[in-house]
Amino acid sequence: LFVGAGDGTVSIWNTKKFELIKNYKISDGKIRAIKAVDQLVFIGNSEGQIFKIELSDLGKANLFSNVKYAIYSLEYLPSKNALLIGDKNAHLTALSLETSKTVLSIPAHNWPIYGIEWLNENEFATCSRDKIVKIWDANSMEVKQRLCFPEHKGHLNSINNLVAIPSKKMLVSIGDDKHICVWSQI
């Protein structure tokens, strides 16, 4: 288990023995997102830095890339073998895992993107401070649906996270308005 802290520290835990394996500071920025991809763990922070840790040795975190804006969410985009980033600038950016170069950048929301969640192998959702959940086609990278208030009786404030329940074809969103919305038939 990888845990990020507001002081830029990452701790790595053995969940079977409940033991701390390693604890070290990787930056001065708040750790905002952690994503495992195969044998790598990517860590994004509030300074726009993305670090990479190899699971084989849990050695030092190496700087993978530095983007312009604070990073709030990370997800893997298999079609491009890339790391999908939701940032403070409201863009979805894809960085190649092979070259760490930008392969895609889309203005996706009006405010920072706080969450990215896969719904199935062809669709993912994003949520934002702009009070909108967007459903995306993962192949075309186009928006298929917008879920927001008042049309869908959604959140009145920032949406901070998402959880997909694929077996029920549901998406759960959590917001600053102290509401949990359950979206069905997505």
Side-chain angles (χ1 to χ4, degrees), residues 156-175:
L156 299 172
N157 297 91
S158 174
I159 304 171
N160 299 330
N161 214 341
L162 301 168
V163 175
I165 307 171
S167 64
K168 303 279 186 193
K169 293 188 176 183
M170 292 180 172
L171 178 67
V172 179
S173 57
I174 301 99

Side-chain angles (χ1 to χ4, degrees), residues 131-166:
K131 306 174 245 184
I132 300 170
V133 172
K134 290 186 178 182
I135 309 298
W136 296 79
D137 180 298
N139 298 311
S140 69
M141 295 301 288
E142 292 183 7
V143 176
K144 294 176 71 172
Q145 190 174 9
R146 292 168 42 99
L147 306 172
C148 58
F149 191 86
E151 303 97 85
H152 299 287
K153 305 221 183 313
H155 293 279
L156 299 172
N157 297 91
S158 174
I159 304 171
N160 299 330
N161 214 341
L162 301 168
V163 175
I165 307 171

Side-chain angles (χ1 to χ4, degrees), residues 14 28 30 54 73 83 90 94 127 144 152 155 158 178 183:
N14 177 326
D28 290 328
K30 294 178 181 178
E54 294 187 31
S73 51
L83 195 60
C127 66
K144 294 176 71 172
H152 299 287
H155 293 279
S158 174
K178 300 181 182 169
W183 307 92

Side-chain angles (χ1 to χ4, degrees), residues 48-98:
Q49 298 169 311
I50 300 172
F51 295 90
K52 175 177 74 172
I53 296 175
E54 294 187 31
L55 290 177
S56 59
D57 66 5
L58 299 177
K60 183 180 178 218
N62 296 310
L63 185 64
F64 175 72
S65 185
N66 199 359
V67 297
K68 209 173 189 180
Y69 300 97
I71 295 164
Y72 287 102
S73 51
L74 296 172
E75 191 52 72
Y76 177 60
L77 184 60
S79 64
K80 298 199 179 302
N81 191 30
L83 195 60
L84 191 58
I85 301 163
D87 68 22
K88 185 176 183 175
N89 193 37
H91 277 67
L92 278 176
T93 302
L95 295 180
S96 166
L97 291 185
E98 296 167 6

